[in-house]
Amino acid sequence: MSKASRAAKDFLIRKAALDGQLGTIGQTLIKKPEKWFNNQELDPTKDRVVPGLRIRGDWRGPGSTPEFVLPRKKERSSINSVGDIWVPNYLRNRELYISGRSTAFSHWSATRMKCVVQFLSTPTADTPGTTLLLHFDNKRYLIGNVAEGTQRAAVQRKLGLVKVGDIFLTGKIDWASAGGVMGTVLTIADASNYSRETQRATRMEKEGKDQELEKHWLNIHGGKNLTHLLATARRFIFRKGLPIHTQEFRSGQDTPKPDWKPTWKDDMLKVWAMVIEPEEQTQTPRKRSHDDFESDSANGKKATQADEDVHDEMRRAVVADMFDSEWRLDALFKRKLSEVEGNPNIFIRNEQGKIEKYTRPMPEEGKEVPDIEVLVRNPWPGAMVTSLPPTTPSAASICYFIKNHPQRGKFDAKGAIALGVPPGPAFRQLTLGQSYTLKDGTVVTPDQVIAPGKEGGGFAIIELPNLSYLEPLLRRKEWSSQEVMSGIGVVIWILGPGVVQDSRLQDFMRNHDKLKHVVSSKEVCSNYLALESPASQAIRLHLLDPDRFPIPVHSNTVQGIPQKDAPYEIARIGKTFILEPRFEIQDDKIVHYLDTAKVVEEASPEVDALAVKAREEITTKEYLEKLEEHQKDIPSKDAEVITLGTGSALPSKYRNVSATLLRVPGFGNYLFDCGENTLGQLQRVFGSELPEVLRELKVIWISHLHADHHLGTASVIRAWNEYTRDDERTKANKLIVASEPEMQSWLREYAQVEDYGHSRVMPIPMGFQSGILEYYFDKEKEKSFGLSCIKACGVKHCNGAMAVVFQFPNGFKVAYSGDCRPSEKFARLGEGATLLIHEATFDDELKGDALAKKHSTTSEAIEVGRQMNARRILLTHFSQRYQKIPVMEERDGHDQVVIVAFDYMRVRIGDIAKVEAFKPALLKLYEEKDE
């Protein structure tokens, strides 16, 4: 199929999705796209700015002809009724619902497949949201909040996400509820692609032929702005082979139908969605909700429903191209040198016709450069969309009733034969709910041969951010609907501040005492150590060196202990509900709190002996005098470095993703990169001190737009805003975010979804796109932000990647590499740095990997420090454990010390040399441990 034919087919399908119908010509063209107009002037897609959503229609049932699934007109419950436009892989030989018509399968389940719901997380610093995982044998669903830390919780619990086909987000669409969606989707995409390629290779080996396997699909359901949230990430998230569909539930569109049909269903579940708006938005009856049609069009007029449909379609198209485009990395396109934008890799053909990298000057460098023809890669499609349609925050909270399909009664084969029904197709006809007529004209009905069925088991999940949502929820008619409530065994409550104590809610629970009620809230759930592996490691490090390795702040007791006669139970990780074959609550799978005493008891005596020796060494008078002499010229020796996340790419079992906090007394606090759940790491390190730490935060530096370096930024800004906006001393403060312009664009676009404090951010766009590589602070700003200068340079890693140097008025100088290959330019920029923080992703034996993935090895990072003449070197961003930690001897009368970073580590500049003394103990500690 040609690209023009495929584009035409996509265009017609999208048109049908909006119109609800398709003309005869359109149907013919869709079924035979190769007969599309040869005249490209008639191609209605050629002027498209945004590629359209690709809806595949290649499902075939027995004896069927190709058909394309179209949404039913006027029956869309949201901007994208997912259940009407795709069928999951496991339904290949089962029923297809096509344009409202059923084929040969009933949603009555013939077998009682085991269905289990389990708490994956409850509110803690590690896992700020409440997440449930619903298991079937061949599919999984994530339900609740997918907050930062969700994917790390799954790693800790050893729960693979590759089978997740649907995500049902509860509550509002904001960072607190959905801040982990992007990282989780990336994890699912990578796991799915790996699984598919592994299966493909296995089949190739067995059958001797290569065969493209069907793609995994992912549906994400939630409230208004879900699609917009995902689309804001188009500049830094891109995967191929994971088609994603979003379904947004909006106020007014969730009105119960007379027959109580579910809002959404697949062959496993039926789902009724509820959109709960706070009381202040539901006082006056109206046809449209508070957040419907609030965005204005370019001419200043209020947006119409048609405008909103077009905007929704544009957002969905962007998301489609983020996860299922046909973009290829090896495709090069011709451009004039003057037309090249940004800082991409540029290639030319040499005299022999071979492609080589362009290394000559660029036009913007101020030299006369011939405007030759060059070759460049086009950015992936989503990144080419410069802006999204406007939107506004939504206060609506999404809740769900989720049930299994009814269980069919047992088929009485003997009874059917006694009635004269011949075994074979007649039996199947009756099991499908269809009557069978005997040869003598007698009609045998299904109820004569099938025992009464059982309503499917299910649960409700309700999120109330505050008390203003309570009355609108209690007034919902679903609670009195037999069709909805039959089979519901438990209600899971995700509650905001003050809600659980409200007498109206507790009376409601008591009046519905046939249901189990389970509450997940910061007020009843303790801030326990939800990630046992990194917590255990932190305790072992604390035993080794308590001055630099704190125990993560936590508590196993709840803030508000419920009354003895409270009508609810408290949510715990691992608490399990069996929905089928019969409802049952299992508490034996609850994950117990980490036994810290046992971790201490199991500590290695050999490690302890080496640690004692190191502590004795660094406390001797001779050692301290020598250290003081060597460090007398170092400024800000009391500055402290806190390594919050020291891993690479993905949050792992032992290391979180990149984030390093620098605290400089008298100047302020500075954050270098801000990976997912950096805020949680800050909470574990500082506990009750966190408000003061954030009030002193002056600058966030983001080195590049890879997700593991910045997906925690929004939550940190929001927390900073909350702690400073109401204080007379700090309410006028600004927070600098210095990074490339694309990062600034993402923060600005996301601010349309949630007011997280963006108006108080002072952006400093840096890099080649902005033309700013040095930013000098005047005296007033120097006093406000504590810096005299920020200097950056481009480095080899990805488009826009930068290394940076922060200079302070007293001569203190910190260089931070971000992710990169070794850079001579960076070494020159950071000449004489007090501290170099450099990535060391790979050990020296894996230099080939470092070259291929544009990272540095241990020795390469240290060599940059040598060239820079940095006084202290901190290595971070690891992909594996490090057993060989080089020690650098005194040079030119000065000492130069290298240490390795660990999550939660706190070390003052003047004490970095002391950490080096613990190297033998650290090596022994990790001798038997492999991350």
Side-chain angles (χ1 to χ4, degrees), residues 65 140 145 164 243 281 337 370 456 525 597 691 720 749 786 910:
T65 56
R140 290 176 178 174
N145 309 141
V164 172
Q281 295 185 16
L337 186 61
C525 296
W720 168 84
E749 281 187 347

Side-chain angles (χ1 to χ4, degrees), residues 17 132 145 219 223 291 399 658 690 716 888:
L132 291 95
N145 309 141
N219 298 312
D291 45 36
C399 309
S658 296
L690 182 60
V716 169
M888 303 200 69

Side-chain angles (χ1 to χ4, degrees), residues 776-796:
Y776 291 90
F777 293 79
D778 58 31
K779 289 297 181 182
E780 183 178 348
K781 289 182 178 178
E782 184 179 286
K783 183 178 179 181
S784 298
F785 298 103
L787 291 172
S788 57
C789 181
I790 297 176
K791 295 182 178 181
C793 66
V795 289
K796 188 176 181 180

